[in-house]
Amino acid sequence: MSQGGERAGAETGEARASARPQRGAPNAGSHASPSAAGKPSKRQKRRRRKTNAPAAPPPGGSALRELPPALGAKVAEAERVLRERKGPPGARPGQGKNRRRRKGRAGFPAAAQPAGAASGRPSPAPTAPAAPHAPSRSAATHGAPRVPAYAALDLGTNNCRLLIAVPTRPGQFRVIDAFSRIVRLGEGLGRTGSLAGTAMDRAVAALEICSHKLSAREIRGARLIATEACRSAANGREFITRVQRETGLRLEIVSRETEARLAVSGCGSLIDRSARGAVLFDIGGGSTEIALLDLRRGTNRRLANNIVAWTSLPVGVVSLAEKHGGRNVTPELFEHMVREVEAMIHAFPGRNRLADLVGRDGFHLLGTSGTVTTLAGIQLGLERYDRRQVDGLWLNDRDVDGLVGKLLGWSFEERVANPCIGSDRADLVLAGCAILQAIRRVWPAKVLRVADRGLREGLLTEMMVADGVWRRPASHLAGTGQAGSDA
C-alpha cells in the first residue's frame, strides 16, 4: 500500500474512533501512548469488522420479494428451520447439537444402550456415534425378528452339562450361556446297580441351576437327555420323576444308538474333509460310544449318515476306576484294564468294516471326552485348561504314547496338582487312558484329533437342522459365528 493510502486509512480509523466512544478509552486529561494513538487495537479491529459487515436481510425482505411467491415461501420456511436448529437467541454454542445427539442416542434399542443408563449410573462414552438412521426403540423391539435360542442338557454318569445357543451362519451357532459340573451320578452304580442317594442329591442341585438358567431366557427349543447312569440303574426312572418334581425339568433317557449318533453330529466338523475313514469315540463315565465312519463317498451335512457300524461298550471311566481302583495304578493293573476293554471291542461284530483303511493315510481317530482333552492340555503345557487351544488339536501316535506313559509315572498327588486334571479327575484319568489305549490297539491310526464337544453340540445341531433355521435369511440370525459347531 502507498503512503497516501496508509494515511487515508489511518484518518478514517481516527474519525470512526472519535465518533464512537470506546470502552476503557483514556480520559481527555490522560496521556495516550504513541502506539495506541496511531494504530487501532485488536478489539477495535474486531468491532470495525462487525460494524462494516452487511446486515442479513430480514425474512420476507427485498431478496425474497424478488423471487416468485411459491419459491419465496419455500426459502422462508428453510430459513426458519435453520434458525430453530441453531436454537433460540442467547442459547449456548453447541447446545442444539448436543440436544440432537441425545435424541439420536435415545433411538437405539434397549440392548444397545450403555450399561447403567436405566439405573441412572454414569455410563462410559459410546465408542461410535449413533447412525443417523438408527431405528427407534419401538421399531427395534417390535419390528425386528427375535433370534431363536436353543438349549441342550446332557446328564451323564460323571457330568451335568448345559448349553444355550443361537444359530448364526449356516451350520454354526453361538453359545450364549453354559454350565458344567461334575456330579458323579453313577458313583457306586457298578456295585449296587442303583443310583446312590448322595449322588442323586448332587445331580438335582446341579439341575436346579440349569432350570434357573433356562427359565431366565426365552427358549424356542430344548432337549434334555440322560445317558448310561439313568439307563442302567434300577431306580433310574424314579430319579427322572424326582428331577421333574423338584426342578421342573423333564429328562429323556436316550438309547445307546442315539448317544452314538449325537456324538457324531456334535463332532462332525472336526472330521478331516480329506479323510477316507475315521473312528469316532466318546469315553463317558459309564459307557463308551464308538462309531465307524466311511467317508470314501464324501460327507454331507448329516455326518451320521456316514456311520457304517457303531457300538456302545458298557464301560466308562467311573465304572472302570471303581472296579480296579484309580488312585494307585501300577503298569500291570493298567495293562489288565486295557485288555479287558479290548476284549469288549473284539466282541463288536462291525469292528472290521474299515479294515482296508485302518492304519493308513486318510484314516484317523477322533476322540471326545475328558480323557483326550486332558491329554491335550498336558501336551500343550497349559497352566489352566483352555478349550480354544484344545478343541481340534491333532496328536500323533508317539505323542499319545508319551502322554499315557507320563501319567502312569505320576503319583496320585502329582495328578491332582496338574491344572488340567485336578482332584475331580485324578482318580479317573488312568481308567480313561486304558479305554483309549484299547481303542488304539484295535484301530491303530497315525493321528488322533481331540474334540472338546459332544452330545450337547449334537443336540443343538439336530434341533436347528430340524427347524430349518439355517435355511432362513441371514437377517434372522445373530452374531458372526462361534465356537459352537459346524454341522
Side-chain angles (χ1 to χ4, degrees):
M1 181 181 294
S2 64
Q3 294 179 356
E6 291 177 357
R7 188 179 303 113
E11 292 174 353
T12 304
E14 291 173 357
R16 289 176 180 168
S18 62
R20 184 174 61 251
Q22 298 181 15
R23 181 183 303 173
N27 296 331
S30 62
H31 298 280
S33 64
S35 60
K39 186 178 181 180
S41 65
K42 292 183 179 180
R43 182 178 296 175
Q44 290 173 340
K45 290 181 180 179
R46 287 197 299 269
R47 289 182 175 177
R48 288 174 187 175
R49 284 195 295 269
K50 292 180 181 179
T51 304
N52 296 333
S62 59
L64 296 182
R65 284 197 298 269
E66 296 175 358
L67 299 174
L71 184 58
K74 292 181 179 180
V75 173
E77 176 64 18
E79 291 181 349
R80 183 187 66 78
V81 172
L82 288 175
R83 288 195 301 271
E84 290 180 354
R85 288 186 178 181
K86 292 180 180 178
R92 295 189 306 272
Q95 186 177 4
K97 182 168 62 176
N98 291 339
R99 183 171 59 251
R100 290 195 303 274
R101 185 176 300 158
R102 289 194 297 270
K103 181 179 179 182
R105 190 177 301 157
F108 274 99
Q113 290 185 356
S119 61
R121 296 190 300 270
S123 304
T127 57
H133 55 280
S136 64
R137 187 186 305 272
S138 59
T141 304
H142 303 291
R146 287 185 176 272
V147 178
Y150 292 82
L153 186 147
D154 167 26
L155 177 62
T157 304
N158 195 45
N159 289 277
C160 176
R161 299 186 180 100
L162 170 71
L163 278 186
I164 302 176
V166 294
T168 56
R169 293 176 295 183
Q172 298 185 7
F173 53 79
R174 176 171 58 89
V175 175
I176 59 176
D177 201 356
F179 173 78
S180 179
R181 176 176 292 180
I182 293 178
V183 296
R184 297 207 180 195
L185 178 60
E187 186 176 46
L189 178 61
R191 296 189 304 269
T192 65
S194 299
L195 301 176
T198 55
M200 290 189 288
D201 293 341
R202 290 193 299 264
V204 169
L207 290 169
E208 285 179 349
I209 298 176
C210 296
S211 178
H212 289 310
K213 286 181 173 290
L214 291 171
S215 61
R217 297 183 180 274
E218 184 175 347
I219 304 297
R220 173 167 183 167
R223 193 172 179 189
L224 320 176
I225 67 170
T227 56
E228 182 62 24
C230 294
R231 198 162 48 214
S232 59
N235 57 345
R237 294 288 178 182
E238 289 81 356
F239 172 69
I240 296 298
T241 302
R242 175 188 171 185
V243 169
Q244 183 176 356
R245 181 178 65 251
E246 297 185 15
T247 69
L249 301 180
R250 183 175 299 177
L251 300 183
E252 167 194 1
I253 301 177
V254 297
S255 66
R256 291 184 173 92
E257 181 179 6
T258 299
E259 190 172 353
R261 189 193 75 244
L262 290 173
V264 172
S265 299
C267 304
S269 62
L270 295 182
I271 292 289
D272 184 3
R273 296 304 177 186
S274 64
R276 303 179 64 200
V279 172
L280 183 148
F281 59 90
D282 181 3
I283 303 175
S287 65
T288 298
E289 279 62 49
I290 302 173
L292 278 62
L293 305 175
D294 191 338
L295 309 173
R296 283 172 282 199
R297 296 183 179 179
T299 61
N300 53 40
R301 187 167 294 278
R302 290 183 177 271
L303 190 63
N305 294 337
N306 295 90
I307 298 176
V308 294
W310 70 272
T311 187
S312 178
L313 306 179
V315 63
V317 296
V318 174
S319 57
L320 193 63
E322 287 186 348
K323 181 178 181 180
H324 297 285
R327 293 178 64 93
N328 301 312
V329 180
T330 64
E332 293 77 17
L333 178 59
F334 182 79
E335 179 64 23
H336 180 73
M337 289 192 290
V338 173
R339 291 183 179 180
E340 180 178 320
V341 178
E342 191 176 359
M344 296 180 186
I345 299 176
H346 280 293
F348 166 41
R351 69 182 185 280
N352 293 323
R353 292 294 299 270
L354 301 177
D356 55 333
L357 300 176
V358 173
R360 301 181 180 181
D361 293 335
F363 172 82
H364 71 88
L365 299 177
L366 175 60
T368 167
S369 67
T371 298
V372 293
T373 56
T374 296
L375 293 178
I378 297 173
Q379 173 71 11
L380 295 172
L382 299 180
E383 296 182 358
R384 182 179 181 182
Y385 183 81
D386 185 355
R387 178 190 185 276
R388 295 170 296 179
Q389 298 187 54
V390 168
D391 188 45
L393 182 71
W394 289 95
L395 298 174
N396 61 47
D397 55 349
R398 293 185 304 275
D399 293 334
V400 179
D401 286 335
L403 290 166
V404 173
K406 179 185 292 188
L407 283 175
L408 269 174
W410 285 356
S411 65
F412 176 76
E413 290 73 21
E414 287 175 313
R415 297 197 299 271
V416 170
N418 186 274
C420 294
I421 302 176
S423 58
D424 290 333
R425 297 181 181 274
D427 60 336
L428 305 177
V429 64
L430 285 176
C433 288
I435 299 173
L436 171 62
Q437 291 297 79
I439 293 172
R440 295 177 65 228
R441 289 182 184 180
V442 177
W443 297 286
K446 296 180 179 180
V447 288
L448 160 67
R449 196 168 199 186
V450 178
D452 188 352
R453 56 181 74 186
L455 300 184
R456 295 172 301 167
E457 288 80 3
L459 289 167
L460 292 172
T461 299
E462 291 196 353
M463 283 188 289
M464 293 177 187
V465 168
D467 279 359
V469 297
W470 290 311
R471 294 196 300 266
R472 299 171 186 171
S475 60
H476 288 259
L477 306 180
T480 57
Q482 185 288 42
S485 169
D486 297 329

